[in-house]
Amino acid sequence: MKKITGIIIWLLVGMLCTSAFAGTVSGKNSKKGVPVSSILLNKTQANLFITTDGKPKVQLEATVYPYNAEKRSVSWKSSNIKVATVSKNGLVTGKGYGTCVITATAKDGSRVKASCVVKVEYSEISAGGLKFKLNNRDNTAAVIGAASLSAEEITIPETVKANKRRYNVTSIASCAFQNMKKLSHVTLGKKIAVIGESAFESCTALRSMLQNSNITKIDDWAFADCKKLGVIYIPKTCAFISDCAFAGDSHLTIIGKENTYPAKYAHRNDIPFATLNTLWRTVVQYINGSDSLAVMTESLDTNGDGIISVIDYKYAQRLEESLK
């Protein structure tokens, strides 16, 4: 009996010692904690496009493994803050053209990291008092508006520079200058091909447009209700003009070449048409005091003073020079 009792006591002592040792080991592991083994971001690459309305943003999120890691927080850093910045919560903001790397690093000292490559480009820019939308696929740009709605004169350039390259300005977007009541003179860049819907609609002070571009299309209501628009040159390259493109323009004369689509369009829509030679002859006749060719009095009054004068003659001269 004593022998059995001794064995039982020995077993109990052994169990107590084993439990104590295990508790000590467990306590050491708990104190050290479980380290971070990996970080997974919701994006490994992102493209941001800066517009005229503001800076683009993208939210990065970090998932830390294992889930029972003692310290699961991360710090964020950008490799180039001129391209993009990142907040302490992983919100990335595009700042300028270029590429940078956003890195999330575990704060537990394990040095575990994960990164996202961010590319920033301009999709819209402001330049020379105008706003442009950029097409990065074919390096073209469309004019989408003016910086000031009270501008009186606008010159559209042939090209604009952004993203370390040049874009050909090939179109004027829909409603780009609609209802600009003070706009009186427009000069188009040589590469403009399309004038969009309502681009100049209700520009009631618009009187002249100088250009030597290869326009191919003038869309619906492009110049509707431009009641003071006198003359507009439309090149032979133009293959489409909407029947309502010049609705309400009672003073308009289209200048161009005979036997072309613009000439046929003018005749079909009962809009006065003249060749450049006719324009010159009419202006000269007025300046010399003759009204025998007085067929376009209001149309040729480009400055709105009620008479055809040297000022209008100079406009015709500028028109001819722009066509050379």
Side-chain angles (χ1 to χ4, degrees), residues 197-217:
E197 181 177 343
S198 300
F200 294 94
E201 183 180 3
S202 297
C203 291
T204 51
L206 183 62
R207 293 185 176 278
S208 65
M209 178 172 293
L210 290 175
Q211 52 96 7
N212 184 20
S213 58
N214 293 316
I215 292 175
T216 60
K217 181 181 181 181

Side-chain angles (χ1 to χ4, degrees), residues 188-300:
L188 298 185
K190 292 183 178 181
K191 296 181 180 179
I192 292 292
V194 177
I195 300 178
E197 181 177 343
S198 300
F200 294 94
E201 183 180 3
S202 297
C203 291
T204 51
L206 183 62
R207 293 185 176 278
S208 65
M209 178 172 293
L210 290 175
Q211 52 96 7
N212 184 20
S213 58
N214 293 316
I215 292 175
T216 60
K217 181 181 181 181
I218 301 176
D219 219 331
D220 295 346
W221 314 103
F223 294 94
D225 293 322
C226 295
K227 299 183 183 301
K228 294 184 179 179
L229 182 60
V231 292
I232 183 169
Y233 172 76
I234 304 179
K236 64 181 181 179
T237 54
C238 189
F240 175 81
I241 306 173
S242 168
D243 284 338
C244 58
F246 299 100
D249 300 348
S250 56
H251 296 180
L252 179 66
T253 295
I254 292 177
I255 306 298
K257 294 184 177 181
E258 286 288 4
N259 302 316
T260 61
Y261 176 84
K264 294 175 182 177
Y265 170 86
H267 298 323
R268 186 177 73 247
N269 288 276
D270 296 323
I271 298 175
F273 178 85
T275 64
L276 189 59
N277 288 337
T278 303
L279 172 68
W280 268 110
R281 193 164 60 249
T282 304
V283 172
V284 171
Q285 289 286 342
Y286 270 109
I287 291 174
N288 291 335
S290 170
D291 59 358
S292 59
L293 293 176
V295 294
M296 296 182 287
T297 308
E298 292 178 330
S299 298
L300 295 175

Side-chain angles (χ1 to χ4, degrees), residues 178-197:
Q178 188 179 37
N179 290 316
M180 287 184 60
K181 301 300 184 183
K182 294 184 178 181
L183 182 61
S184 59
H185 298 284
V186 175
T187 301
L188 298 185
K190 292 183 178 181
K191 296 181 180 179
I192 292 292
V194 177
I195 300 178
E197 181 177 343

